[in-house]
Amino acid sequence: KPNRFYATQEMESTQTNSVRNHFILVHGLCHGAWCWYKVVTALEAAGHRVTAVDLAASGAHPARVDEVHSFEEYSRPLLDAVAAAPERGGERLILVGHSHGGLSLALAMERFPGKVAAAVFAAAAMPSVGKHMGVTTEEFMRRTSSKGLLMDCEMLPINNNQGAGVAIIMGPDFLARKYYQQSPPEDLALAKMLVRPGNQFMKDPVMKDASLLTDDNYGSVKKVYVVAKADGSSTEEMQRWMVMFSPDTEVEEIAGADHAIMSSRPTELCDALVKIANNLNTC
């Protein structure tokens, strides 16, 4: 099985030109770069450059959740990574966001459209031009709260000199039954040990600005949505609801993928990412 995991990627990632792919992977709420370990290993084995970032107060980032005062500050590690990348040329930049990380992707796409060859939303929040970014989070919370899907997650107040906010702590039952239910038990155990409180920044001005995302910038970047068909958190219905508002988005589907798509179906996700990269060669 491990041989197939790497050999498939090597076979499918053959480049038709000298341009090298650089994947930047962005984790979801409460997670960190650690959650991409299988995907990083496979993509690197296939010859691609890969960067997995820790957003502020996430993963191994040293800040505490109450020390990060804005969504901009939270997304800064990604924004800095994209800003440091060269303009399109010898290296092709492909952003991959998971869950809440899709909103940080959108901010980077709006700021640096000339540097991003494609953006992949893997079971991710994907906003649309003409709507404020917080719509995706509001709709998710509306659907989950009404059905009790947040289970044993806790909401904790954040008080700092920038005003009040709310942090979410993912409970072990929620992780086991709604997030990692199709994933290996080792990945669930890892998540239980490493998740940190996360701020959705629902009151942040960036989340409320309906004019933030523009056709010329965010709308000009190629988008691909990867649907996790066994997602018990952001359901398939919710994922397709987001795609509906961005009709030129390409769609890939992964059967049997739970919300932790990089853990439950890493080979299939890597296959999809390599396919997306190879399709850029023909554009």
Side-chain angles (χ1 to χ4, degrees):
K1 205 166 185 179
N3 290 337
R4 190 250 169 191
F5 189 69
Y6 299 118
T8 300
Q9 300 309 315
E10 291 169 359
M11 177 182 68
E12 293 187 357
S13 65
T14 302
Q15 299 292 312
T16 59
N17 54 41
S18 60
V19 177
R20 187 184 186 195
N21 298 316
H22 180 189
F23 292 93
I24 296 184
L25 311 180
V26 184
H27 61 82
L29 196 68
C30 304
H31 285 62
W34 54 265
C35 70
W36 294 104
Y37 75 99
K38 293 178 180 177
V39 176
V40 169
T41 303
L43 288 176
E44 287 182 342
H48 303 285
R49 183 182 175 196
V50 188
T51 301
V53 298
D54 279 318
L55 299 179
S58 304
H61 191 280
R64 299 191 312 267
V65 68
D66 61 329
E67 295 174 327
V68 180
H69 301 132
S70 69
F71 185 71
E72 169 101 14
E73 188 178 346
Y74 172 72
S75 303
R76 178 54 52 193
L78 170 63
L79 299 176
D80 287 347
V82 177
E87 293 289 340
R88 297 180 192 177
E91 188 172 82
R92 180 187 291 117
L93 193 63
I94 303 171
L95 305 184
V96 184
H98 175 246
S99 195
H100 192 263
L103 300 182
S104 295
L105 244 64
L107 189 59
M109 294 157 67
E110 179 63 31
R111 298 280 176 82
F112 307 104
K115 293 191 173 189
V116 183
V120 183
F121 294 80
M126 185 176 73
S128 61
V129 173
K131 296 181 182 293
H132 64 81
M133 291 207 300
V135 165
T136 57
T137 302
E138 290 170 0
E139 179 65 13
F140 171 76
M141 295 302 290
R142 184 188 70 79
R143 294 183 183 218
T144 55
S145 296
S146 63
K147 297 178 181 178
L149 295 182
L150 290 179
M151 302 177 63
D152 59 339
C153 294
E154 296 181 47
M155 302 293 182
L156 296 179
I158 299 173
N159 292 301
N160 52 43
N161 57 11
Q162 301 296 314
V166 177
I168 185 171
I169 298 177
M170 292 183 177
D173 289 343
F174 172 79
L175 289 170
R177 294 171 57 188
K178 297 297 180 182
Y179 209 113
Y180 286 85
Q181 77 274 14
Q182 301 292 333
S183 297
E186 296 87 351
D187 288 320
L188 172 60
L190 185 68
K192 288 179 178 179
M193 288 187 285
L194 294 180
V195 291
R196 296 176 61 181
N199 189 346
Q200 295 174 306
F201 295 97
M202 294 179 71
K203 296 182 179 180
D204 191 286
V206 167
M207 293 294 183
K208 298 295 186 182
D209 186 356
S211 65
L212 177 72
L213 301 180
T214 64
D215 280 315
D216 289 344
N217 293 343
Y218 174 73
S220 69
V221 180
K222 177 183 175 68
K223 300 179 199 60
V224 182
Y225 200 97
V226 180
V227 175
K229 291 182 67 66
D231 192 336
S233 176
S234 180
T235 62
E236 180 178 353
E237 179 188 8
M238 174 70 188
Q239 294 171 67
R240 294 191 184 278
W241 178 83
M242 290 183 284
V243 172
M244 178 180 66
F245 292 107
S246 299
D248 24 340
T249 302
E250 297 179 13
V251 176
E252 298 282 338
E253 300 179 354
I254 299 183
D258 57 23
H259 193 58
I261 188 171
M262 70 286 289
S263 297
S264 59
R265 292 295 183 271
T267 303
E268 292 82 354
L269 178 56
C270 287
D271 287 347
L273 295 178
V274 170
K275 174 184 174 183
I276 292 164
N278 287 344
N279 285 344
L280 294 173
N281 295 328
T282 62
C283 295

